[in-house]
Each structure stands twice: as C-alpha cells, then as structure tokens.
Amino acid sequence: MINRVYIKNCLSFAELDLEFKKGLNIFSGPSGAGKSILMQEILALFAFNDVKSELSELEFANISFEDELYGIEKSDDLIIKSIKKEKVRYFLNNQIISKKNLQNISFKLIKQLNLKDTSDFESQRIIEFLDRLASKNSLEFQKIKESFDKKYKEFLDIKKELNKILEDEKKIEDLKEFARFEIAKIEEINPKEDEYEELNLIKKSLAKKDKIEKSISKVTSIFELSSSVNELLELLEVDSLFFDEAMNELNNIFEKSNDRLSELDEINIEEVLNRIEKISALQKRFGSIKEAIEYKNQKKLELEAYMNISFSKSKLEKEYLNLEIEIKNLADKISEFRQNNLILLEDKINFYLKLLYLNNANIVLNKKDLDFYGHDEISFFLNEVSLDTISAGEYNRLRLALLSAVSEFDISINGVLFLDEIDANLSGKESEAISKVLITLSKNYQIFAISHKPQLTS
C-alpha cells in the first residue's frame, strides 16, 4: 500500500505532502480542483503517465513483491522517486531505474480501472485462480494437479525426443553417412593422445642428426689417446680411475647416440612431417586429440542410435500414447474441480453485478488443445454478449465485480487499485451500489478513487 506521497511544483500544486491509510481513499471536489492531476501524478510515479512535477516521491509498504535485480525482498518498503529537469529520471530505493523497468514492476503493484485492461479476464488468470481455490478446498485436487504437472513435463520431454527422431528419420541416410564419414576420417589417422609431442621430438632429432654425426666423428679420436693419458698418469703417480670412469661414461653416451642415430636412419622424415600435419589439423578442429577421440566415440554412439532408430521410435511412441491418455484423464478430473469452483465464482460475480445494477455474467469453460494448463479455456459474457462489445462503464463495473468476487475467495492483500470516476454518468442508486462494493473490496485492496458523487464520498 501507499503510505505517503510528496509532490513539488506540479501544475496547480506548489507542494503536496499526503499520508494515506489502507482501505478506501476518495479524492473529491469541484471540477478544476486538481483531482485528476493528483491521481495522474501518482500514476506517473509508477511510470504509467508523463511526469509533470519537478520532484515527486512515494513510500510503498511492500508485502508481496521481490526483485533480485534491485535487491528487493518481500516486506521491504519501496521508495519511488522522480526528478524532472531537462529530462525525467526515476529512482527505486535510490537506484536509477528506466521507465520501462519501473513500469514492469508497477504492473505487479497496482491496477487501474479507468483503462480497458483485459488482463483480469484472461483465461490463464482465471484458471490460476480456480486452481488456487480448488487447492485451498481439496487435498485430492492438490494431488491430481501435482501429478498432472509432473506427467505433463515428462510428456513434453518425450514429445521433444520423439519429434527429433521423426526429423532424423527424414534424413536418416544422410545422418548415417555423415557419422560414418566423421568416424572414418579420425580412424584413418588413428591419433594417440601424446603423439603430437612425440612426433615433434623426432622432428627435432632429425633436424640435428647430421650435426651430431659430424661432431661424433671429430671427437672419436679421443679414445685413441686414452692409453697415452694412462701412461702419463702412471708416471705422475696419479690414480687413473677417474679418467677411466669418465672415458667409459663418454663411450656409453656415444654408443647410445649411435644407436639413436641408427634408429633415425630408418625413419622417413616426409612421413613424420605428414603425420604432424594431420595430427595438427585434428587439433585445430577439435582443440585437442583427446576431444577428437571423444567426438569419434560420440559419433559411433549416434550411428548406433540411427541403426536402432525404429526400436527407439516404437518405444517412445508407446510411452507418449500412454502418458497422453493419463494426462488427459487427469485434465478431465481437473476440469471437474474447475467447473464446480467456476459456479461459485460466477454466483459471487453475479451477486455483485446485481448490486451494481447490471445483468448476469456467464462464464463458460471451453475445451481446447492440451497444454500446461490442461484443456480448459475461459470465455466471459455479460448478458450473453462478449466483452468486446459492452460499454466502458459496463466493462469497469464487471471488472469491479470480478475483483470483488476473487478477493473474497483469495484472502490476501492485492495491492493498490486506482479508479478514475468509476461512478461517472451513473444514477444515484448505481453510485450507492458502487460505494458498497468498494467498501467490501477495500478489505483486500488499498483503493484510490476520484468521485464527484456524494454517495462514494459519504
């Protein structure tokens, strides 16, 4: 509910600072007193009108709204502010907010009955209300609805999977051929995970092979001098063990190098380079050899699935049909509960319509294609006429009757309701009736209403 509104320099108002209470708040006075200006400026704070004031602000006691983006939790009070200089800027709890985002939030906080807004009569909204009412009154309905919701999700998953199979069937041969082609391309190379690094080491060794051979041939003469070195050490009376060990170690190194060089003689450098090129191409395409191997294995599984597609299709079709029968039966049971509660809602609406001197409304539960809400669809008629053809006055009184009826069943605080001369062009007894209905409705709404009539004001 709105606790306080502050407005500065708004057309005929220099400054306003008003506090409000819950329930029914009436703006009354002669034409030109500024009733509509005040109402429109409050609505402008919710981004539903153009801002006229230099500065405006309202405090909103929030009990049901939450928004993660703006850090709003249930029970957090909201401060909405607008500042108009060269352009209008909006703030929500001291955070700048765009007009569009503020308007989206405001749709959850307030309602206006001066507009021909059809949202209250939308089939989905009425269905959701009937389900809330049925859940409140029947544990059996809760179980049926929970079962329906769960099985309908399963049904959609199977339907999606089945549709994919049906699409795949149309191009199954192409899919098989593509999978075989992709598998063959990788298997032809038959890469190993660490092969690229090993090949590069061989490539480096081949590049140094000639240099190593030339260097070895230059230094092999060192072994011919080893006996001379030993004779010298003996004359010098120095133990030659260190020298012998060093020469043995050097000899071992040379032997291993010669063995390695002999192995490299058997390697074809062109084949190594070609292999590196193929492995490199796989790495560029898949990111790594490991991912290439995983892709190959995935394609093998896909190929296996394509080969068994008829079996999978048959199995899914059976599951699909069984689930469809089951959820249709559940939807029929849900419809029965909705129909029973629809009679209660219709009776309550017509009770208020009688008070408002309007003919009876008729609410019809039609069947439609099955979806997440079942196979029910709501149609509203006033005196057997569709809502598209009734007058604005009739429409708003019907909407008022619907809100009043729903608020009796849905015991909750439903936000703020704005009414701009809802009793205009009505007789005294009709204005009196609207007054009584609004008093009832104000138990669950904070209502702001403009009226020239003494009935509503009194």
Side-chain angles (χ1 to χ4, degrees):
M1 61 169 276
I2 297 171
N3 292 330
R4 174 178 172 266
V5 171
Y6 175 79
I7 296 171
K8 183 177 181 181
N9 293 333
C10 176
L11 302 178
S12 56
F13 296 114
E15 190 172 35
L16 275 175
D17 194 349
L18 303 174
E19 293 183 0
F20 297 98
K21 294 183 179 180
K22 63 182 181 180
L24 190 57
N25 298 273
I26 309 298
F27 299 110
S28 187
S31 296
K35 301 181 298 297
S36 293
I37 290 172
L38 175 56
M39 180 84 85
Q40 295 306 313
E41 197 60 19
I42 295 173
L43 287 169
L45 270 165
F46 290 101
F48 288 122
N49 285 320
D50 291 333
V51 171
K52 299 290 192 296
S53 59
E54 179 185 313
L55 173 66
S56 55
E57 180 179 287
L58 67 78
E59 295 175 8
F60 193 97
N62 168 44
I63 62 163
S64 61
F65 174 72
E66 55 186 344
D67 189 289
E68 190 175 336
L69 179 63
Y70 291 96
I72 298 168
E73 297 180 358
K74 288 180 181 178
S75 78
D76 285 351
D77 288 346
L78 307 179
I79 305 293
I80 303 173
K81 183 188 292 186
S82 71
I83 299 173
K84 184 179 181 182
K85 291 183 180 177
E86 295 177 1
K87 63 178 183 177
V88 177
R89 289 191 298 163
Y90 296 94
F91 299 85
L92 177 61
N93 288 356
N94 294 320
Q95 298 180 69
I96 290 179
I97 185 171
S98 69
K99 184 175 183 179
K100 184 178 179 181
N101 286 345
L102 178 57
Q103 194 175 81
N104 289 336
I105 289 173
S106 298
F107 274 122
K108 300 170 186 175
L109 304 175
I110 70 170
K111 292 178 183 288
Q112 299 179 67
L113 254 67
N114 62 326
L115 301 175
K116 197 160 184 177
D117 177 8
T118 60
S119 62
D120 288 316
F121 295 99
E122 286 175 357
S123 176
Q124 181 179 321
R125 184 169 287 194
I126 302 296
I127 293 276
E128 287 172 349
F129 163 72
L130 293 174
D131 288 352
R132 285 199 305 276
L133 187 57
S135 293
K136 189 162 64 176
N137 297 329
S138 171
L139 186 61
E140 182 188 357
F141 175 82
Q142 290 178 30
K143 291 178 179 177
I144 292 170
K145 186 66 169 62
E146 285 171 8
S147 180
F148 174 85
D149 292 344
K150 181 182 176 182
K151 290 187 181 298
Y152 190 76
K153 286 176 183 175
E154 291 175 24
F155 177 74
L156 288 181
D157 289 340
I158 290 174
K159 186 177 182 181
K160 183 179 178 181
E161 200 173 339
L162 192 55
N163 285 338
K164 184 181 182 303
I165 286 177
L166 292 171
E167 283 299 312
D168 287 348
E169 264 191 333
K170 295 175 185 176
K171 48 189 178 180
I172 192 70
E173 292 307 320
D174 289 340
L175 290 169
K176 285 180 185 176
E177 187 60 34
F178 178 72
R180 288 192 188 104
F181 175 74
E182 292 287 273
I183 293 165
K185 273 203 308 184
I186 297 171
E187 285 190 339
E188 182 185 358
I189 298 171
N190 193 24
K192 307 294 185 296
E193 278 196 36
D194 299 325
E195 187 179 1
Y196 186 74
E197 290 75 15
E198 291 172 4
L199 287 168
N200 273 304
L201 285 173
I202 292 170
K203 181 184 171 185
K204 286 178 183 177
S205 296
L206 285 168
K208 295 192 292 182
K209 180 174 176 288
D210 289 342
K211 288 182 179 180
I212 292 170
E213 287 176 337
K214 286 178 182 178
S215 293
I216 287 174
S217 66
K218 284 181 182 179
V219 299
T220 49
S221 58
I222 192 173
F223 295 106
E224 296 172 5
L225 299 172
S226 61
S227 59
S228 299
V229 173
N230 279 322
E231 286 176 11
L232 174 61
L233 291 172
E234 190 176 343
L235 290 170
L236 295 171
E237 297 181 353
V238 174
D239 189 353
S240 63
L241 181 61
F242 77 93
F243 177 70
D244 293 336
E245 287 177 351
M247 292 302 288
N248 287 334
E249 181 66 24
L250 186 60
N251 188 52
N252 289 334
I253 292 170
F254 281 11
E255 284 179 0
K256 286 180 182 178
S257 297
N258 285 324
D259 291 342
R260 180 64 178 155
L261 291 171
S262 298
E263 289 174 7
L264 291 175
D265 284 338
E266 297 172 9
I267 294 172
N268 188 320
I269 183 62
E270 292 299 325
E271 288 179 2
V272 171
L273 294 175
N274 287 337
R275 185 74 180 164
I276 289 173
E277 188 178 347
K278 288 177 181 178
I279 298 291
S280 178
L282 282 179
Q283 288 195 144
K284 282 181 182 176
R285 181 181 172 191
F286 296 103
S288 70
I289 296 304
K290 183 181 177 182
E291 287 173 286
I293 294 169
E294 286 173 356
Y295 177 77
K296 178 193 71 174
N297 293 334
Q298 178 194 331
K299 285 298 167 190
K300 283 185 173 181
L301 291 173
E302 286 179 14
L303 183 59
E304 187 180 345
Y306 296 145
M307 302 301 287
N308 298 322
I309 197 167
S310 297
F311 173 76
S312 300
K313 176 187 171 186
S314 176
K315 184 184 174 187
L316 280 174
E317 282 177 336
K318 188 176 179 180
E319 288 181 32
Y320 180 86
L321 290 172
N322 289 339
L323 262 179
E324 187 175 35
I325 291 167
E326 197 171 352
I327 60 177
K328 279 183 177 178
N329 289 335
L330 289 169
D332 287 337
K333 291 177 183 177
I334 289 170
S335 293
E336 290 176 20
F337 280 94
R338 286 172 178 169
Q339 184 60 54
N340 292 336
N341 285 292
L342 192 61
I343 293 167
L344 295 175
L345 177 62
E346 188 178 84
D347 287 346
K348 186 59 68 175
I349 289 171
N350 287 330
F351 166 77
Y352 282 108
L353 288 177
K354 188 175 180 181
L355 290 178
L356 295 167
Y357 299 99
L358 280 176
N359 293 313
N360 279 356
N362 182 228
I363 312 173
V364 180
L365 197 66
N366 301 308
K367 268 202 170 185
K368 63 172 180 58
D369 292 338
L370 193 70
D371 63 15
F372 189 75
Y373 289 93
H375 50 216
D376 298 321
E377 191 170 53
I378 298 289
S379 295
F380 250 95
F381 299 93
L382 181 64
N383 195 25
E384 299 183 357
V385 175
S386 72
L387 303 191
D388 296 334
T389 57
I390 65 176
S391 69
E394 289 174 321
Y395 185 89
N396 281 329
R397 277 186 283 166
L398 174 59
R399 194 173 166 203
L400 189 58
L402 171 63
L403 290 173
S404 300
V406 167
S407 70
E408 279 200 36
F409 294 113
D410 255 354
I411 305 302
S412 61
I413 303 298
N414 292 298
V416 183
L417 185 62
F418 286 86
L419 310 172
D420 191 355
E421 298 191 44
I422 195 168
D423 55 358
N425 303 317
L426 299 179
S427 66
K429 67 176 184 177
E430 288 169 334
S431 294
E432 179 83 17
I434 282 181
S435 302
K436 291 176 180 176
V437 171
L438 288 181
I439 288 168
T440 301
L441 191 56
S442 67
K443 292 175 184 176
N444 292 312
Y445 281 93
Q446 183 187 38
I447 299 176
F448 290 81
I450 291 176
S451 179
H452 285 279
K453 298 292 181 71
Q455 288 85 356
L456 189 55
T457 309
S458 65

